[in-house]
Amino acid sequence: MGPTEPGIGKKVPIEGMTENTFYSGGANYWATQEASDNGMLGGLGHLSEIEIQNSEQFLKSVLRLTDPPGTSRVIDCGAGIGRITKNLLQRYFKVVDLVDQDPKFIDRAKENLKDIAQVGELYCSGLQLFTPNPKTYDVIWCQWVLCYMTDDDLIQFLQRCSSALLPNGVMIIKENTTRGNAPDVDESDSSVTRSFNGFLNIFKAANMKVLQYVKQKNFPRDLYPVWIFAVKPITSASD
Ligand SMILES: C[S@@+](CC[C@H](N)C(=O)[O-])C[C@H]1O[C@@H](n2cnc3c(N)ncnc32)[C@H](O)[C@@H]1O
């Protein structure tokens, strides 16, 4: 796969930045954002309910696959204040772990989720540095966070996640995508919005296959299209 293929771009997507400044740019941006649904959704907190409804339909369809993942443990990656854990994951999984790099959001997630018995570990770490425990998770949920990782780090993170999945485990990835094939970079929050094909290339590079995908419905047309993917590691030649 060549370096110019969509989604497999430069090591650091923003010209002139080092990896350090790319990651500190993202962390500094989130340090200034409100610990609320509105903060998590860039001022579009009113879309939370419809977004969760679509995710729930997708999760149900994944749990109905021929060899479905179990429901013993999930991890919410880039969990922020625990919006997805609270409104969705805790209703389907016996244990929900969370990881986010921002300590203020982790503190708010603890507060928001204090009455939810299913909540397990809360990790404060950048995903580019995080290794989920091996053979632990039925589902690894990543939403609106992979745009803050370089392609190389994302591929390596997906590989570490592959090792963290239980048999039949899947990753569910929900991210903005560009309409064409080129990624969009945003210097204001150090993010890279990848194309749909860019994600497919990333999954291929991480040796993962796509089981299912669907586009978020009923979102305003002026927003980036949001796609949800279910992916799993390729373990045999017949996969
Ligand atoms: C758009 S919010 C989404 C939060 C949550 N997934 C949701 O949908 O409500 C992005 C979150 O990703 C976190 N984040 C950004 N870069 C990260 C990184 N490199 N590693 C871990 N978390 C990161 C931010 O702190 C923030 O909580």
Side-chain angles (χ1 to χ4, degrees):
M1 193 167 295
T4 55
E5 288 199 30
I8 311 289
K10 299 172 195 154
K11 202 168 164 54
V12 177
I14 300 176
E15 206 66 53
M17 276 194 181
T18 63
E19 247 180 70
N20 277 347
T21 51
F22 175 71
Y23 284 113
S24 61
N28 291 341
Y29 170 82
W30 282 104
T32 64
Q33 300 306 300
E34 208 180 82
S36 64
D37 282 2
N38 223 20
M40 296 295 97
L41 300 183
L44 301 171
H46 60 282
L47 295 178
S48 184
E49 199 175 322
I50 195 151
E51 184 277 306
I52 292 283
Q53 279 169 11
N54 253 243
S55 293
E56 181 164 10
Q57 280 172 14
F58 189 77
L59 176 59
K60 282 181 172 168
S61 71
V62 167
L63 295 175
R64 284 195 301 259
L65 287 170
T66 309
D67 292 313
T71 54
S72 61
R73 197 167 195 127
V74 61
I75 183 163
D76 182 356
C77 297
I81 62 167
R83 186 185 68 87
I84 305 165
T85 292
K86 183 171 184 173
N87 295 306
L88 178 64
L89 302 177
Q90 57 99 3
R91 294 192 280 116
Y92 284 85
F93 295 88
K94 291 188 188 74
V95 182
V96 189
D97 296 334
L98 294 88
V99 54
D100 197 280
Q101 74 178 4
D102 190 298
K104 157 181 79 1
F105 294 156
I106 288 287
D107 285 347
R108 183 58 62 89
K110 269 184 200 149
E111 174 62 24
N112 284 349
L113 305 170
K114 66 178 186 305
D115 296 327
I116 299 178
Q118 291 89 327
V119 173
E121 303 293 330
L122 285 92
Y123 301 101
C124 191
S125 171
L127 297 184
Q128 66 280 8
L129 303 171
F130 182 68
T131 302
N133 289 329
K135 295 193 175 69
T136 300
Y137 294 106
D138 297 294
V139 171
I140 297 178
W141 193 286
C142 300
Q143 180 163 343
W144 283 323
V145 65
L146 303 184
C147 54
Y148 298 106
M149 294 172 84
T150 65
D151 287 346
D152 287 354
D153 282 347
L154 174 52
I155 291 163
Q156 286 169 26
F157 174 67
L158 295 178
Q159 289 168 338
R160 295 195 297 280
C161 287
S162 292
S163 304
L165 289 172
L166 290 164
N168 294 342
V170 301
M171 292 190 73
I172 297 186
I173 289 169
K174 184 165 185 177
E175 292 287 327
N176 290 345
T177 62
T178 57
R179 289 196 162 77
N181 254 344
D184 273 355
V185 292
D186 185 345
E187 298 201 23
S188 67
D189 67 346
S190 272
S191 68
V192 53
T193 301
R194 298 177 169 91
S195 66
F196 181 90
N197 285 331
F199 275 105
L200 298 187
N201 282 341
I202 294 267
F203 300 145
K204 195 170 163 194
N207 202 33
M208 301 190 88
K209 73 169 181 179
V210 180
L211 300 176
Q212 251 182 246
Y213 53 84
V214 77
K215 192 173 169 189
Q216 168 73 41
K217 292 183 198 71
N218 302 320
F219 256 23
R221 283 179 188 279
D222 56 332
L223 298 183
Y224 280 124
V226 179
W227 285 89
I228 320 180
F229 303 90
V231 299
K232 69 182 290 192
I234 295 174
T235 50
S236 70
S238 60
D239 267 341

